[in-house]
Amino acid sequence: MNVNAKLTEKIAFGFIGASIFTVVLFVCIILYYIISNGYPALSWEFFTSMPRNRMMEGGIYPALIGTISLIIGSMLAALPFGILAAVYLNEYAKPGKIKWVIEMAINNLAGTPSVVFGLFGLALFVRYFGFGPSVIAASLTLGILVLPIVIRSSQEALLAVPMEYRQASLALGVTRWQTTKSMVLPAALPGIVTGSILSIGRVAGETAPILFTGAAYFLPRVPNSIFDQFMALPYHLYVLATSGIDIEGTRHIQYGTALVLLLVVLGVNSIAILIRRHYKKKLRLN
Amino acid sequence: MGEDFLQNFEIAIKVNNLNLWYGDNNALKEISIDIPKNKVTSLIGPSGCGKSTFIRCINRMNDLVRTCSIEGEVLVYDEDIYNEDIDVVELRKKVGMVFQKPNPFPMSIAENITYGPKIHGIKNKNELNRIVEQSLKAAALWDEVSDRLDKSALDLSGGQQQRLCIARTLAVNPEIILFDEPCSALDPISTAKIEELIMNLKKDYTIVIVTHNMQQAARISNYTAYFLHGKIMEYGDTEQIFENPRVKSTEDYITGRFG
Amino acid sequence: MVFKRRHKEKLIEATLFWIGSLTIIILILICLFLFRDALTLFSTHSFYSFVTGSLWYPTADPPLYGLIPLLLGSVLVTFGAICISVPLGITSAIYISEIASPRVASFLKPFIEILAGIPSVVYGFFGLVVLAPYLQLWLDLSTGQVALTGSVMLAVMALPTIISISEDAISSIPSSIREGSLAMGATNWQTIYKVVLPAALSGISAAVMLGMGRAIGETMTVMMVTGNAAVIPGMPEGIVESVRTMTATIALEMGEVPIGSEHYHALFAVGSVLFIMTFLINLAADIIKKKYRFKLEGS
Ligand SMILES: Nc1ncnc2c1ncn2[C@@H]1O[C@H](COP(=O)(O)OP(=O)(O)O)[C@@H](O)[C@H]1O
Ligand SMILES: [Mg+2]
C-alpha cells in the first residue's frame, strides 16, 4: 500500500471526523443556550399563571392548555384514520396500482410544507366548513399534517407482527377482520403508540399550520369550546420574540417558553424510544 | 377412487383430480385420495414435493397465496370446499391446523386457548375456564402449566408451545386436524410426547400429518401416502407401504436411496 | 349468520379501502382548495405579471404581485442551506455507517434524533437571538437577519433528513462489495469513495432531494431570521442581505389580509407554486429511490 493512499485516507477521515463533530457541536450549542437561559424562568407559577402586563410578565398557562387541546384534538382526528389506513395497506391491499398511488400520496403529504397545510386548513375548515379560526379547525389541520407519520409508523408496527400469528388465527376459523382486531392490532400496539407519541411531538411544535386556523396573538383565558380561538406555545414564542411589546426585556420568558417546548417534544420522543426498547423483545417467536 | 383397503371406513376427506399452480409452477398434479375418518393418515416424501401445499388445500390456507390457483375437487364430508357457497371461516373451524414452527400468540397461556372460542361467541367465564382445562388436558399440557395459566405463552419450551398450539386448535372443536411437520423443530422427548398425543387424539379426530420422519409415520399412522414431484406415487396401509412398497420410487425413498 | 358475517367482512373491507384512500383524497382536496383560491387571482391580475413580475408590493396602488423576488429568496436560502448540509450530512452518514463502531454510532444517533425533534420555531428563535448577532459581528453586517443566517439554520434542520436517508442507502450496500474492494488492497477510504459511495449514489441523491424539499418548505425559521425584505437578492452578495421567501411571505401577510381579497388570492397563488415545487421534488426523490432499490436487487 503506498504512502499517498494512506495520507489521502488520513485527510479524508480527518474531514469526516470534523464534520460529525460539527453536527454534534451544533446540537450541544443549541441545547446549551436554550436550557441555560430558559431554566431560570421555569417555576410552578410560570406554568400556571396567565401572561400579565401585556405579556411582559407572568406565565404561559393558556398557551400550555392550548397546545394540549391541539394535541388531543389532532390525535383524535389522526389516530383512528391513520391506524386503519395502515391496516388497509398492510393487511388488505393487494400489491398493485392503487397501493402504489396511496403510498405515493403518503410520501407527498409527508413532504408538503406545513404552511401549505395552513392555507388548506384556512380554505377548507375555517372558511368552507365555517368553523372559523378555532381549536377544531387547527386540530384537524394538524391531524392531516401528522397523518403520514401515524400511517408510516403503524405500518412499521404491523409489519413487525410475524406472519405466523395471522396464519394461526385464520386457521382457527377466525375472520380476517377479527384476526386484525383481536390479534394483529394488540400485538402491534406498542409500535403504534410509539409512532403516535412521535406525532404528538410534531403537533406540539408546529406553528405555520395554526397561524391562520385559530392561534391567537393574545387571549388571556383558556378556550371555552372547540370553536374558540386559543393560544399555543410555539406561536406564543414567535410572538414574544418578533412582535412583542418589549422584545429585549422579555427574553427570559421567551427562553422559558422555548425550553418548555423543547422539553415537551424531547420528553415525548424519549418516552417513545423507551417504549420501543421495552417492547422490542416481546414480539419475537423463539 | 375407492381404495380397497378403505372399503369399510367412513371417508372424511375426498380429493378428486386436484391440480394446483403457483403462478405457472404446477405444484400438485392430478391428486386423488380418500382419507378415512378417525384415523391417522401421514404424508411423506422428499422436501418440495408438495406435501405442505396439499395439506393447506384442505383448510384453504392456500387462499392466502396470491399466485395460487386450483382445479379439481376437495370434499370434506361430501361438501366441495372450493364451492362458492362455502364459508371459509366455518371450514377452518371444522378443519384445524398445527404448523411446523410452534406459533403461540404473544398472550397468556389461557388467552391463547380462549382466543378462538371467545371470537366464536363464547362469553361465559366458567365455560371458557372449562374449555381451557379440557383443551390443555387433551393436549397433555395441563399438569405442566395449570399453575401459570396467566403467564406468557412465549416463555414455554418449544415442545410445550407446540402442545399449546394443539390445545388451541382443539378449543374450537374441529373434526379434522392437519399437522404440518409438527415435530421438526422439537427435541426427541417433546417429539415422543406429541406422537403419543396424536395417537390419543385419533379416537375423536381425523388426523392428517405431514412428516419428514419415516419412523414417525410408521409409528403413529394407519395409512401413508407417498408424494413425489407433486404426485401421489403410492397410498396404502402404513404397514404395507413400509414393508412391501409396490412402487419402485417409494421403496427407494424408504430405504434411503432417495432425497 | 354466515351470510351476515360475510357481508360484515365485505363492508369492513370496503370501509378500510376508503380510509386507506384518504391520503389520496386529501391530496386532491389540497390541490382543489389551493388552486381554486389561487386561480381567482388571475381573473383580476395577469398571470404573466405574477410569474415574471420583479416586484412584490401588495400595498402599492395598483398592487404588484411579482413572484420573482420571493422565488429567488426561497431558492437562494435553500441553495445556501444545501451547500452547507449536503457535505456535512453525507460525511456524517459515512461516519455513522462506515467508520464508527456500533457503540459510537448508537451514541451519535440520539443527537440526530434530537435535531429532528426540535420545533422550527425554536430553531428560528435560536437563529434570531444567538446566531444572527454573532454573524452580524463576525461579518461586520448592518443586520444579522440575512439569507445566510436562514441558510445555516435550514442546513441544521435538513441534516437529520439527509443523514438518516443517506445512512440507509449506504448501509444497504452488501458488505461483499466492500470486502471485494478491501481484498484487492484498497484502503478503507478508497473503498468508501470508489465503491460504496457510487453504489449508494441514487439513495444519497434522494436524501438530498428530500432535504431540499424540507428546506424550501420551512416557514417559521426563515421568517424569524432572514429579515423578510421583498427585494430581488443580488448574486452573490444577496447571501448577506435580507431576503424574503415564499413561505415567509404567506405566513407574514395572510394574517393581515381581508379574506377573499385579491391579496388573499395572491398568497394562495404563492402557496400553489410552493406546493407544486415540493410535490415535484418529492416525486423525483421517490422515483430515484425506487430506481436504486431496483438496481441493487438486480445485481
Ligand atoms: N407460497 C408459495 N409460492 C410459490 N411457490 C410455492 C409456495 N409454497 C410452495 N411453493 C412451491 O411448491 C412446491 C411444493 O412445496 P411444498 O408444498 O412446500 O413442499 P413440501 O412441503 O413437500 O416440502 C415447491 O416447488 C415450492 O417451491
Ligand atoms: Mg413443507
Side-chain angles (χ1 to χ4, degrees):
Chain A
M1 198 184 300
N2 69 36
V3 182
N4 242 336
K6 281 220 136 166
L7 189 66
T8 320
E9 181 171 75
K10 269 216 166 116
I11 294 171
F13 280 13
F15 269 112
I16 291 175
S19 104
I20 188 82
F21 180 74
T22 313
V23 173
V24 172
L25 194 67
F26 261 134
V27 182
C28 294
I29 291 177
I30 293 176
L31 292 183
Y32 169 77
Y33 268 95
I34 306 288
I35 294 172
S36 67
N37 290 303
Y39 177 72
L42 297 194
S43 65
W44 182 245
E45 214 227 321
F46 187 66
F47 289 102
T48 56
S49 65
M50 293 286 167
R52 281 192 312 272
N53 191 11
R54 290 171 300 162
M55 292 196 282
M56 291 193 291
E57 288 168 42
I60 53 169
Y61 179 68
L64 198 59
I65 297 298
T67 288
I68 292 172
S69 326
L70 289 181
I71 290 174
I72 295 172
S74 59
M75 288 300 115
L76 284 179
L79 284 189
F81 289 110
I83 294 170
L84 290 177
V87 164
Y88 175 73
L89 287 171
N90 277 41
E91 310 291 319
Y92 283 84
K94 301 174 181 66
K97 274 236 170 67
I98 293 184
K99 193 173 175 192
W100 183 80
V101 174
I102 295 177
E103 301 267 355
M104 206 69 141
I106 296 171
N107 282 349
N108 268 298
L109 221 49
T112 297
S114 51
V115 71
V116 170
F117 284 106
L119 288 179
F120 176 60
L122 169 64
L124 182 69
F125 300 124
V126 176
R127 291 192 62 201
Y128 189 78
F129 286 163
F131 293 152
S134 57
V135 173
I136 184 169
S139 297
L140 290 173
T141 308
L142 288 171
I144 290 177
L145 178 99
V146 295
L147 194 61
I149 305 177
V150 176
I151 296 179
R152 284 278 178 252
S153 50
S154 305
Q155 273 187 292
E156 243 171 69
L158 291 172
L159 211 59
V161 178
M163 266 329 270
E164 285 96 332
Y165 294 160
R166 297 181 180 83
Q167 282 202 351
S169 175
L170 292 171
L172 288 172
V174 174
T175 63
R176 185 174 286 273
W177 173 243
Q178 286 283 12
T179 299
T180 306
K181 200 178 74 173
S182 316
M183 165 84 274
V184 181
L185 279 177
L189 197 63
I192 292 174
V193 169
T194 308
S196 347
I197 290 181
L198 287 177
S199 55
I200 289 181
R202 188 75 195 276
V203 167
E206 277 293 346
T207 320
I210 60 173
L211 282 177
F212 334 126
T213 54
Y217 177 84
F218 178 57
L219 187 73
R221 58 177 167 83
V222 296
N224 50 31
S225 84
I226 56 170
F227 296 104
D228 200 4
Q229 280 191 270
F230 55 89
M231 290 182 84
L233 286 174
Y235 186 54
H236 187 56
L237 171 58
Y238 168 71
V239 165
L240 288 181
T242 62
S243 46
I245 290 164
D246 180 6
I247 292 177
E248 287 301 327
T250 56
R251 281 285 186 244
H252 61 288
I253 302 184
Q254 297 165 24
Y255 270 113
T257 310
L259 179 56
V260 172
L261 252 185
L262 205 61
L263 288 177
V264 170
V265 173
L266 297 186
V268 145
N269 288 8
S270 12
I271 291 173
I273 291 170
L274 288 182
I275 292 180
R276 197 164 52 197
R277 286 232 179 103
H278 181 73
Y279 282 98
K280 211 161 203 177
K281 313 157 239 166
K282 287 212 160 168
L283 261 188
R284 243 174 275 138
L285 289 166
N286 50 347
Chain B
M1 305 292 117
E3 256 100 351
D4 344 331
F5 61 89
L6 293 177
Q7 257 171 17
N8 302 319
F9 296 112
E10 200 179 328
I11 300 301
I13 305 162
K14 192 172 179 68
V15 178
N16 294 325
N17 294 323
L18 178 70
N19 272 291
L20 181 147
W21 290 267
Y22 290 118
D24 42 2
N25 170 16
N26 192 186
L28 292 178
K29 298 165 195 156
E30 296 293 317
I31 301 283
S32 293
I33 185 173
D34 291 351
I35 294 172
K37 193 178 170 195
N38 288 14
K39 301 282 171 197
V40 179
T41 303
S42 63
L43 312 178
I44 61 170
S47 87
C49 66
K51 305 179 299 286
S52 299
T53 301
F54 174 70
I55 208 174
R56 292 162 65 91
C57 286
I58 304 173
N59 66 345
R60 289 187 55 174
M61 285 305 273
N62 278 328
D63 288 12
L64 305 181
V65 180
R66 283 206 178 88
T67 55
C68 175
S69 58
I70 279 177
E71 251 174 35
E73 272 184 332
V74 180
L75 308 177
V76 171
Y77 294 119
D78 295 326
E79 221 179 351
D80 183 354
I81 60 166
Y82 283 93
N83 190 312
E84 277 191 15
D85 300 335
I86 283 289
D87 184 35
V88 184
V89 167
E90 287 299 325
L91 170 73
R92 289 181 186 149
K93 272 198 231 170
K94 206 154 59 181
V95 186
M97 183 164 209
V98 176
F99 297 81
Q100 187 162 358
K101 224 172 90 191
N103 55 0
F105 299 134
M107 307 169 177
S108 76
I109 294 171
E111 283 166 339
N112 262 276
I113 307 284
T114 55
Y115 176 84
K118 264 188 187 158
I119 284 177
H120 295 146
I122 298 175
K123 302 245 160 59
N124 184 304
K125 262 253 162 70
N126 294 330
E127 174 72 1
L128 287 170
N129 287 339
R130 193 189 60 74
I131 291 175
V132 169
E133 181 170 344
Q134 192 185 9
S135 311
L136 285 171
K137 277 184 173 155
L141 190 59
W142 176 254
D143 294 338
E144 291 161 59
V145 301
S146 59
D147 56 338
R148 48 176 172 146
L149 293 174
D150 54 350
K151 296 274 154 44
S152 168
L154 298 184
D155 295 336
L156 296 174
S157 74
Q160 288 173 325
Q161 287 189 358
Q162 193 63 302
R163 275 179 282 151
L164 178 64
C165 292
I166 296 174
R168 183 176 69 186
T169 306
L170 296 179
V172 293
N173 266 327
E175 293 168 41
I176 298 170
I177 308 178
L178 311 172
F179 289 86
D180 190 352
E181 303 197 31
C183 304
S184 64
L186 304 181
D187 60 273
I189 293 171
S190 307
T191 301
K193 278 189 186 152
I194 295 204
E195 285 181 7
E196 195 189 325
L197 172 58
I198 290 175
M199 285 192 281
N200 284 334
L201 289 174
K202 93 178 153 189
K203 288 200 302 288
D204 305 307
Y205 305 92
T206 302
I207 289 169
V208 185
I209 175 169
V210 171
T211 172
H212 227 76
N213 177 332
M214 269 171 303
Q215 285 72 36
Q216 184 170 70
R219 276 195 300 268
I220 65 174
S221 68
N222 306 97
Y223 302 100
T224 298
Y226 171 60
F227 277 67
L228 182 66
H229 301 319
K231 285 189 195 147
I232 296 183
M233 306 304 290
E234 186 165 0
Y235 176 40
D237 200 89
T238 299
E239 223 162 275
Q240 174 259 311
I241 292 272
F242 279 84
E243 282 164 16
N244 193 10
R246 275 185 282 247
V247 180
K248 179 75 171 54
S249 64
T250 317
E251 190 183 340
D252 287 347
Y253 180 69
I254 287 166
T255 52
R257 261 174 278 158
F258 202 124
Chain C
M1 186 204 139
V2 167
F3 181 76
K4 224 175 95 187
R5 182 179 56 223
R6 271 209 236 167
H7 264 260
K8 196 177 147 202
E9 285 283 316
K10 276 261 175 326
L11 193 71
I12 287 170
E13 182 161 356
T15 313
L16 286 175
F17 168 76
W18 283 108
I19 294 176
S21 311
L22 196 65
T23 47
I24 303 179
I25 298 169
I26 289 173
L27 212 54
I28 294 173
L29 280 179
I30 290 180
C31 293
L32 243 125
F33 275 85
L34 224 53
F35 297 165
R36 193 190 61 167
D37 269 330
L39 289 176
T40 313
L41 173 71
F42 304 120
S43 60
T44 55
H45 191 271
S46 112
F47 179 73
Y48 182 78
S49 72
F50 171 72
V51 177
T52 61
S54 59
L55 286 173
W56 179 267
Y57 205 170
T59 50
D61 192 24
L64 297 168
Y65 303 111
L67 179 67
I68 298 298
L70 313 182
L71 186 66
L72 288 181
S74 283
V75 169
L76 177 69
V77 175
T78 302
F79 177 75
I82 288 299
C83 287
I84 300 168
S85 66
V86 165
L88 272 182
I90 294 177
T91 46
S92 299
I94 293 174
Y95 186 81
I96 291 174
S97 57
E98 295 288 296
I99 300 174
S101 66
R103 267 191 55 199
V104 174
S106 68
F107 166 80
L108 287 173
K109 278 186 181 171
F111 280 92
I112 314 298
E113 278 172 22
I114 291 176
L115 272 187
I118 297 177
S120 54
V121 69
V122 173
Y123 276 117
F125 176 65
F126 176 84
L128 182 68
V129 298
V130 181
L131 183 64
Y134 274 116
L135 282 183
Q136 183 181 2
L137 196 70
W138 293 334
L139 301 177
D140 192 22
L141 305 170
S142 56
T143 168
Q145 296 178 36
V146 295
L148 179 63
T149 319
S151 292
V152 173
M153 291 320 298
L154 285 187
V156 178
M157 297 174 72
L159 272 176
T161 309
I162 296 180
I163 293 177
S164 61
I165 297 176
S166 304
E167 199 211 316
D168 277 351
I170 293 173
S171 10
S172 69
I173 306 295
S175 56
S176 57
I177 293 185
R178 287 183 195 91
E179 284 157 13
S181 165
L182 291 171
M184 290 183 336
T187 62
N188 254 330
W189 170 244
Q190 284 167 331
T191 303
I192 293 170
Y193 184 70
K194 297 224 170 90
V195 181
V196 176
L197 283 186
L201 190 65
S202 36
I204 294 176
S205 320
V208 173
M209 300 293 285
L210 290 173
M212 199 158 90
R214 175 94 211 263
I216 204 162
E218 182 45 54
T219 309
M220 297 314 289
T221 311
V222 285
M223 179 159 86
M224 290 170 83
V225 301
T226 56
N228 298 321
V231 293
I232 293 187
M235 304 279 177
E237 72 278 7
I239 195 76
V240 289
E241 290 168 0
S242 290
V243 294
R244 175 190 283 208
T245 63
M246 296 188 286
T247 50
T249 305
I250 299 170
L252 279 171
E253 296 174 11
M254 188 52 95
E256 263 120 65
V257 301
I259 281 179
S261 66
E262 194 181 51
H263 188 181
Y264 174 90
H265 294 299
L267 292 177
F268 269 85
V270 175
S272 303
V273 171
L274 186 65
F275 178 67
I276 292 169
M277 283 176 74
T278 51
F279 187 90
L280 292 178
I281 291 173
N282 288 321
L283 204 65
D286 242 24
I287 291 169
I288 293 172
K289 245 201 310 204
K290 206 158 245 150
K291 230 181 194 167
Y292 108 94
R293 199 178 303 144
F294 172 74
K295 251 194 195 159
L296 272 185
E297 279 164 6
S299 61

